[in-house]
């Protein structure tokens, strides 16, 4: 690993969360700063539950250049910033804090990160797509909101806990509704936003859909990125669907943050390489 030289002029950005030592964000952002030769450095701060407001106060006092926010602070930070983006307001969750004229602005870049990964991989946006999203947690809500705002014709939400599916579907606006497994067959885009398939959990090795419902007319995305090739993506490849792994969303949500802080277009290729290397060693 090459360490950046930190001077008195270096701008500091960081992620706050708990636990945070496993975060890939330092590797991704520091690779971006290095690729553009920016005098910035990115750290990780373990901030315990209930301490988000204190961390924001520290951002003001220490003049931190930007903050990424992860569990368990996304809702608390949304409540504590001076302003919120539309996505952050609608979701009530912030994953990035930037400055605007001395005020702290909360953003949620997860949904736009997912759509950007779709565009990067297949040159296709949400426009005109019939979508199924599996899950109704934080990641699912961000994707559901972005697909609805991005011009999808339909966003169908399927979740183990039906009440959560109804609340999440509302985030897509008038094109959102709760559905069931039969909706998967005809969808243009199927997104797994559950934790099924994730390594080191009880869902490891589990495919969240019946593979016989998948076909060549579909893009099948998995937000899970550990492992990168999940049971769902293996089923998608076998069915002739176009697979989309979770690393694209991970990198593009970070790229959007990078641009908000630095004003520069993010070096996505360098950040992707860093994410892949960090995943390989995790
Ligand atoms: P979360 O808020 O805890 O939501 C988890 C979702 O998975 C809920 O809808 C939950 O259903 C469902 N679920 C969990 N276990 C299940 C099971 N055994 N059977 C069926 N459904 C189950 O988590 P999250 O933050 O949204 O993250 C979800 C996944 O997305 C994780 O794997 C995470 O790593 C990934 N992710 C990826 C990115 C990226 O950049 N690629 C970003 C964020 C998250 P209930 O509502 O019924 O509990």
């Amino acid at each position: 690993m090459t360490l950046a030289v930190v001077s008195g002029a270096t701008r500091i950005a960081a992620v706050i969360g708990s636990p945070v030592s496993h975060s890939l964000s330092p590797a991704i952002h520091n690779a971006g700063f290095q690729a553009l030769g920016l005098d910035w450095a990115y750290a990780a701060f373990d901030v315990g539950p209930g301490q988000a407001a204190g961390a924001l106060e520290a951002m003001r006092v220490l003049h931190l250049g930007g903050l990424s926010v992860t569990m368990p602070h996304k809702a608390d930070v949304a409540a504590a910033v001076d302003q919120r983006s539309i996505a952050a307001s609608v979701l009530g969750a912030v994953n990035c804090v930037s400055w605007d004229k001395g005020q702290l602005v909360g953003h949620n870049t997860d949904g736009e990160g997912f759509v950007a990964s779709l565009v990067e991989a297949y040159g296709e946006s949400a426009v005109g797509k019939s979508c199924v999203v599996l899950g109704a947690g934080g990641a699912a809500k961000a994707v559901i909101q972005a697909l609805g705002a991005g011009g999808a014709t339909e966003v169908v939400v399927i979740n183990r806990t039906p009440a959560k599916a109804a609340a999440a579907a509302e985030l897509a606006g008038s094109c959102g509704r709760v559905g069931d497994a039969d909706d998967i067959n005809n969808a243009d885009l199927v997104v797994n936003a559950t934790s099924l398939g994730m390594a080191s959990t009880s869902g490891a090795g589990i495919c969240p859909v019946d593979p016989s419902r998948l076909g060549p007319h579909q893009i099948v995305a998995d937000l899970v990125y550990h492992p990168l090739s999940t049971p769902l993506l293996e089923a998608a490849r076998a069915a002739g669907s176009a697979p989309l792994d979770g690393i694209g969303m991970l990198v593009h949500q970070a790229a959007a943050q990078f641009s908000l802080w630095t004003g520069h277009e993010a070096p996505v290729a360098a950040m992707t390489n860093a994410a892949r290397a960090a995943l390989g060693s995790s």
Side-chain angles (χ1 to χ4, degrees):
M1 188 194 321
T2 315
L3 286 177
V5 176
V6 175
S7 76
T10 303
R11 298 298 313 272
I12 303 294
V15 56
I16 58 166
S18 189
V20 82
S21 61
H22 66 288
S23 172
L24 301 179
S25 295
I28 295 171
H29 283 289
N30 283 319
F33 297 147
Q34 264 186 356
L36 294 193
L38 301 180
D39 189 9
W40 281 68
Y42 188 103
F45 295 131
D46 197 315
V47 173
Q51 302 295 314
L56 280 193
E57 204 44 42
M59 180 173 180
R60 294 181 205 273
V61 173
L62 299 173
H63 304 289
L64 299 181
L67 271 191
S68 305
V69 180
T70 189
M71 296 302 289
H73 301 305
K74 291 185 175 187
D76 288 351
V77 170
V81 288
D82 302 318
Q83 300 173 35
R84 281 165 292 278
S85 69
I86 291 172
S89 293
V90 171
L91 295 167
V94 159
N95 75 340
C96 167
V97 185
S98 68
W99 289 100
D100 184 29
K101 302 181 188 76
Q103 297 223 302
L104 294 181
V105 186
H107 309 263
N108 194 309
T109 63
D110 276 338
E112 71 178 272
F114 174 74
V115 174
S117 76
L118 189 61
V119 172
E120 181 186 50
Y122 293 113
E124 294 189 31
S125 70
V127 174
K129 284 203 167 43
S130 152
C131 310
V132 166
V133 177
L134 308 163
K141 286 181 188 168
V143 169
I144 290 163
Q145 190 271 334
L147 292 173
T153 51
E154 189 172 50
V155 181
V156 179
V157 181
I158 303 172
N159 192 50
R160 177 178 63 177
T161 308
K164 290 188 190 169
E170 285 179 13
L171 295 167
S174 57
C175 70
R177 69 172 172 85
V178 176
D180 61 33
D182 286 341
D183 289 297
I184 294 169
N185 301 45
N186 295 320
D188 302 317
L189 172 66
V190 179
V191 183
N192 175 39
T194 74
S195 43
L196 289 177
M198 196 172 162
S200 316
T201 70
S202 57
I206 297 177
C207 184
V209 306
D210 174 351
S212 70
R213 295 186 182 278
L214 305 177
H217 58 290
Q218 294 170 323
I219 297 175
V220 176
D222 205 330
L223 303 195
V224 172
Y225 53 80
H226 189 53
L228 262 185
S229 190
T230 60
L232 175 63
L233 294 181
E234 283 160 22
R237 287 187 197 99
S241 312
L244 181 64
D245 68 34
I247 207 164
M249 174 174 168
L250 178 71
V251 169
H252 280 281
Q253 61 80 30
Q257 300 189 5
F258 184 103
S259 298
L260 285 164
W261 300 331
T262 68
H264 291 275
E265 192 174 326
V268 169
M271 294 167 84
T272 302
N273 288 341
R276 287 191 185 282
L279 266 177
S281 61
S282 69

